[in-house]
Short mmCIF file of all heavy atoms in Angstrom, two decimals:
data_model
loop_
_atom_site.label_atom_id
_atom_site.label_comp_id
_atom_site.label_asym_id
_atom_site.label_seq_id
_atom_site.Cartn_x
_atom_site.Cartn_y
_atom_site.Cartn_z
N HIS A 18 33.67 0.49 -4.19
CA HIS A 18 33.26 0.13 -5.57
C HIS A 18 31.78 -0.21 -5.71
O HIS A 18 31.27 -0.26 -6.82
CB HIS A 18 34.09 -1.06 -6.07
CG HIS A 18 35.52 -0.69 -6.28
ND1 HIS A 18 35.90 0.36 -7.08
CD2 HIS A 18 36.68 -1.21 -5.78
CE1 HIS A 18 37.21 0.48 -7.08
NE2 HIS A 18 37.71 -0.46 -6.28
N PHE A 19 31.12 -0.46 -4.60
CA PHE A 19 29.76 -0.96 -4.69
C PHE A 19 28.82 -0.01 -5.46
O PHE A 19 28.16 -0.42 -6.42
CB PHE A 19 29.20 -1.20 -3.26
CG PHE A 19 27.82 -1.76 -3.25
CD1 PHE A 19 27.57 -3.09 -3.53
CD2 PHE A 19 26.72 -0.94 -2.98
CE1 PHE A 19 26.28 -3.61 -3.53
CE2 PHE A 19 25.43 -1.44 -2.98
CZ PHE A 19 25.21 -2.78 -3.25
N ALA A 20 28.78 1.25 -5.06
CA ALA A 20 27.82 2.18 -5.69
C ALA A 20 28.12 2.37 -7.18
O ALA A 20 27.19 2.23 -8.01
CB ALA A 20 27.80 3.52 -4.95
N PRO A 21 29.36 2.69 -7.57
CA PRO A 21 29.62 2.84 -9.01
C PRO A 21 29.31 1.57 -9.82
O PRO A 21 28.83 1.65 -10.95
CB PRO A 21 31.11 3.18 -9.09
CG PRO A 21 31.45 3.71 -7.73
CD PRO A 21 30.55 3.02 -6.77
N THR A 22 29.54 0.40 -9.21
CA THR A 22 29.24 -0.85 -9.92
C THR A 22 27.74 -0.96 -10.19
O THR A 22 27.30 -1.31 -11.30
CB THR A 22 29.72 -2.07 -9.09
OG1 THR A 22 31.08 -1.91 -8.80
CG2 THR A 22 29.48 -3.37 -9.83
N LEU A 23 26.95 -0.64 -9.15
CA LEU A 23 25.50 -0.72 -9.33
C LEU A 23 25.00 0.33 -10.33
O LEU A 23 24.06 0.08 -11.09
CB LEU A 23 24.79 -0.56 -7.98
CG LEU A 23 24.18 -1.87 -7.47
CD1 LEU A 23 25.25 -2.92 -7.24
CD2 LEU A 23 23.38 -1.66 -6.20
N GLU A 24 25.62 1.49 -10.32
CA GLU A 24 25.20 2.53 -11.27
C GLU A 24 25.45 2.07 -12.71
O GLU A 24 24.62 2.29 -13.59
CB GLU A 24 25.94 3.85 -10.98
CG GLU A 24 25.46 4.53 -9.71
CD GLU A 24 26.25 5.80 -9.37
OE1 GLU A 24 25.85 6.87 -9.85
OE2 GLU A 24 27.26 5.69 -8.65
N ARG A 25 26.58 1.41 -12.94
CA ARG A 25 26.86 0.89 -14.30
C ARG A 25 25.86 -0.21 -14.65
O ARG A 25 25.35 -0.28 -15.76
CB ARG A 25 28.30 0.35 -14.39
CG ARG A 25 29.37 1.43 -14.48
CD ARG A 25 30.71 0.83 -14.90
NE ARG A 25 31.24 -0.10 -13.90
CZ ARG A 25 31.89 0.26 -12.80
NH1 ARG A 25 32.11 1.54 -12.54
NH2 ARG A 25 32.34 -0.65 -11.95
N TRP A 26 25.60 -1.08 -13.69
CA TRP A 26 24.62 -2.17 -13.93
C TRP A 26 23.26 -1.57 -14.31
O TRP A 26 22.59 -2.03 -15.24
CB TRP A 26 24.51 -3.01 -12.65
CG TRP A 26 23.40 -4.04 -12.69
CD1 TRP A 26 23.48 -5.32 -13.14
CD2 TRP A 26 22.03 -3.83 -12.31
NE1 TRP A 26 22.26 -5.94 -13.05
CE2 TRP A 26 21.34 -5.05 -12.55
CE3 TRP A 26 21.32 -2.75 -11.79
CZ2 TRP A 26 19.98 -5.20 -12.28
CZ3 TRP A 26 19.96 -2.90 -11.53
CH2 TRP A 26 19.31 -4.12 -11.78
N TYR A 27 22.88 -0.53 -13.58
CA TYR A 27 21.56 0.11 -13.79
C TYR A 27 21.45 0.69 -15.21
O TYR A 27 20.39 0.57 -15.85
CB TYR A 27 21.38 1.21 -12.75
CG TYR A 27 20.06 1.95 -12.83
CD1 TYR A 27 18.86 1.32 -12.54
CD2 TYR A 27 20.03 3.31 -13.18
CE1 TYR A 27 17.66 2.01 -12.60
CE2 TYR A 27 18.83 4.00 -13.24
CZ TYR A 27 17.64 3.35 -12.95
OH TYR A 27 16.44 4.02 -13.01
N HIS A 29 22.47 -0.46 -17.86
CA HIS A 29 22.17 -1.52 -18.85
C HIS A 29 20.88 -2.28 -18.57
O HIS A 29 20.33 -2.91 -19.46
CB HIS A 29 23.32 -2.54 -18.89
CG HIS A 29 24.56 -1.97 -19.47
ND1 HIS A 29 25.62 -1.55 -18.68
CD2 HIS A 29 24.90 -1.70 -20.75
CE1 HIS A 29 26.56 -1.06 -19.46
NE2 HIS A 29 26.16 -1.14 -20.72
N HIS A 30 20.43 -2.26 -17.33
CA HIS A 30 19.32 -3.16 -16.97
C HIS A 30 18.05 -2.47 -16.53
O HIS A 30 17.05 -3.14 -16.28
CB HIS A 30 19.76 -4.12 -15.85
CG HIS A 30 20.87 -5.02 -16.26
ND1 HIS A 30 22.19 -4.68 -16.13
CD2 HIS A 30 20.85 -6.25 -16.83
CE1 HIS A 30 22.94 -5.66 -16.58
NE2 HIS A 30 22.15 -6.63 -17.02
N VAL A 156 19.67 -6.47 -0.19
CA VAL A 156 20.90 -6.40 -0.98
C VAL A 156 22.10 -6.19 -0.06
O VAL A 156 23.11 -6.90 -0.15
CB VAL A 156 20.80 -5.24 -2.01
CG1 VAL A 156 22.14 -5.04 -2.70
CG2 VAL A 156 19.70 -5.53 -3.03
N VAL A 160 25.21 -8.74 0.40
CA VAL A 160 26.55 -8.37 -0.13
C VAL A 160 27.54 -8.20 1.01
O VAL A 160 28.68 -8.67 0.93
CB VAL A 160 26.46 -7.08 -0.97
CG1 VAL A 160 27.85 -6.64 -1.41
CG2 VAL A 160 25.57 -7.30 -2.18
N ALA A 196 19.33 2.67 -8.77
CA ALA A 196 20.03 1.43 -9.09
C ALA A 196 19.86 0.38 -8.01
O ALA A 196 19.55 -0.78 -8.30
CB ALA A 196 21.52 1.73 -9.32
N PHE A 200 18.05 -3.06 -8.52
CA PHE A 200 18.85 -4.25 -8.32
C PHE A 200 18.13 -5.22 -7.38
O PHE A 200 18.08 -6.43 -7.62
CB PHE A 200 20.21 -3.82 -7.73
CG PHE A 200 21.23 -4.92 -7.65
CD1 PHE A 200 21.93 -5.32 -8.78
CD2 PHE A 200 21.49 -5.55 -6.43
CE1 PHE A 200 22.88 -6.33 -8.69
CE2 PHE A 200 22.43 -6.56 -6.35
CZ PHE A 200 23.13 -6.95 -7.47
N GLN A 204 17.28 -8.22 -9.70
CA GLN A 204 18.50 -9.05 -9.73
C GLN A 204 18.66 -9.84 -8.43
O GLN A 204 18.69 -11.06 -8.44
CB GLN A 204 19.73 -8.14 -9.94
CG GLN A 204 21.07 -8.84 -9.84
CD GLN A 204 21.46 -9.55 -11.12
OE1 GLN A 204 21.04 -9.15 -12.20
NE2 GLN A 204 22.24 -10.61 -11.02
N CYS A 205 18.73 -9.12 -7.33
CA CYS A 205 18.92 -9.79 -6.03
C CYS A 205 17.54 -9.94 -5.39
O CYS A 205 17.22 -9.32 -4.39
CB CYS A 205 19.85 -8.95 -5.16
SG CYS A 205 20.40 -9.85 -3.69
N ASP A 211 19.79 -13.77 -8.91
CA ASP A 211 20.48 -14.25 -10.10
C ASP A 211 22.00 -14.10 -9.91
O ASP A 211 22.64 -13.26 -10.53
CB ASP A 211 19.99 -13.44 -11.31
CG ASP A 211 20.31 -14.15 -12.60
OD1 ASP A 211 21.00 -15.19 -12.57
OD2 ASP A 211 19.89 -13.66 -13.66
N CYS A 212 22.57 -14.94 -9.05
CA CYS A 212 23.97 -14.77 -8.65
C CYS A 212 24.95 -15.05 -9.79
O CYS A 212 26.05 -14.50 -9.82
CB CYS A 212 24.28 -15.68 -7.47
SG CYS A 212 23.20 -15.36 -6.06
N LEU A 213 24.56 -15.90 -10.74
CA LEU A 213 25.50 -16.30 -11.80
C LEU A 213 25.98 -15.13 -12.63
O LEU A 213 27.14 -15.10 -13.06
CB LEU A 213 24.84 -17.35 -12.72
CG LEU A 213 24.91 -18.78 -12.22
CD1 LEU A 213 24.21 -19.69 -13.20
CD2 LEU A 213 26.35 -19.21 -11.99
N ILE A 214 25.08 -14.20 -12.90
CA ILE A 214 25.49 -13.06 -13.72
C ILE A 214 25.46 -11.76 -12.93
O ILE A 214 25.13 -10.71 -13.44
CB ILE A 214 24.61 -12.93 -14.99
CG1 ILE A 214 23.13 -12.87 -14.60
CG2 ILE A 214 24.89 -14.02 -15.99
CD1 ILE A 214 22.25 -12.23 -15.66
N CYS A 215 25.81 -11.84 -11.66
CA CYS A 215 25.73 -10.66 -10.79
C CYS A 215 27.05 -9.90 -10.79
O CYS A 215 28.12 -10.51 -10.61
CB CYS A 215 25.38 -11.10 -9.37
SG CYS A 215 25.33 -9.71 -8.24
N PRO A 216 27.00 -8.57 -10.93
CA PRO A 216 28.24 -7.79 -10.98
C PRO A 216 28.99 -7.70 -9.65
O PRO A 216 30.15 -7.31 -9.64
CB PRO A 216 27.75 -6.41 -11.43
CG PRO A 216 26.34 -6.33 -10.98
CD PRO A 216 25.80 -7.72 -11.08
N VAL A 217 28.32 -8.02 -8.54
CA VAL A 217 29.02 -7.95 -7.25
C VAL A 217 29.22 -9.36 -6.66
O VAL A 217 29.50 -9.50 -5.47
CB VAL A 217 28.30 -7.03 -6.24
CG1 VAL A 217 28.37 -5.58 -6.68
CG2 VAL A 217 26.85 -7.45 -6.00
N GLN A 218 29.11 -10.35 -7.52
CA GLN A 218 29.21 -11.74 -7.07
C GLN A 218 30.49 -12.01 -6.26
O GLN A 218 30.45 -12.67 -5.23
CB GLN A 218 29.19 -12.61 -8.33
CG GLN A 218 29.22 -14.08 -8.10
CD GLN A 218 29.71 -14.77 -9.36
OE1 GLN A 218 30.89 -14.69 -9.68
NE2 GLN A 218 28.80 -15.40 -10.09
N GLN A 219 31.62 -11.47 -6.73
CA GLN A 219 32.90 -11.77 -6.08
C GLN A 219 32.99 -11.22 -4.66
O GLN A 219 33.65 -11.78 -3.81
CB GLN A 219 34.06 -11.21 -6.92
CG GLN A 219 34.28 -11.92 -8.24
CD GLN A 219 34.55 -13.41 -8.03
OE1 GLN A 219 35.32 -13.81 -7.15
NE2 GLN A 219 33.89 -14.24 -8.83
N GLN A 220 32.36 -10.10 -4.41
CA GLN A 220 32.44 -9.50 -3.09
C GLN A 220 31.26 -9.86 -2.21
O GLN A 220 31.23 -9.51 -1.04
CB GLN A 220 32.55 -7.98 -3.20
CG GLN A 220 31.26 -7.33 -3.68
CD GLN A 220 31.35 -5.81 -3.74
OE1 GLN A 220 31.77 -5.26 -4.73
NE2 GLN A 220 30.97 -5.16 -2.64
N CYS A 221 30.27 -10.58 -2.77
CA CYS A 221 29.02 -10.82 -2.04
C CYS A 221 29.20 -11.94 -1.01
O CYS A 221 29.45 -13.10 -1.36
CB CYS A 221 27.91 -11.18 -3.03
SG CYS A 221 26.38 -11.64 -2.20
N CYS A 224 26.71 -14.91 -1.40
CA CYS A 224 27.01 -15.78 -2.54
C CYS A 224 28.25 -16.63 -2.26
O CYS A 224 28.26 -17.84 -2.50
CB CYS A 224 27.20 -14.92 -3.79
SG CYS A 224 27.56 -15.89 -5.25
N GLN A 225 29.28 -16.00 -1.70
CA GLN A 225 30.53 -16.71 -1.45
C GLN A 225 30.38 -17.76 -0.35
O GLN A 225 31.15 -18.72 -0.31
CB GLN A 225 31.64 -15.72 -1.08
CG GLN A 225 32.01 -14.73 -2.19
CD GLN A 225 32.43 -15.41 -3.49
OE1 GLN A 225 33.11 -16.45 -3.47
NE2 GLN A 225 31.99 -14.89 -4.62
#
Side-chain angles (χ1 to χ4, degrees):
H18 291 305
F19 182 77
T22 304
L23 252 62
E24 288 177 89
R25 284 194 296 279
W26 172 90
Y27 180 67
H29 292 101
H30 297 88
V156 172
V160 175
F200 189 78
Q204 174 82 27
C205 191
D211 198 354
C212 302
L213 276 179
I214 54 159
C215 178
V217 292
Q218 183 201 72
Q219 291 302 316
Q220 70 178 88
C221 175
C224 181
Q225 297 303 322

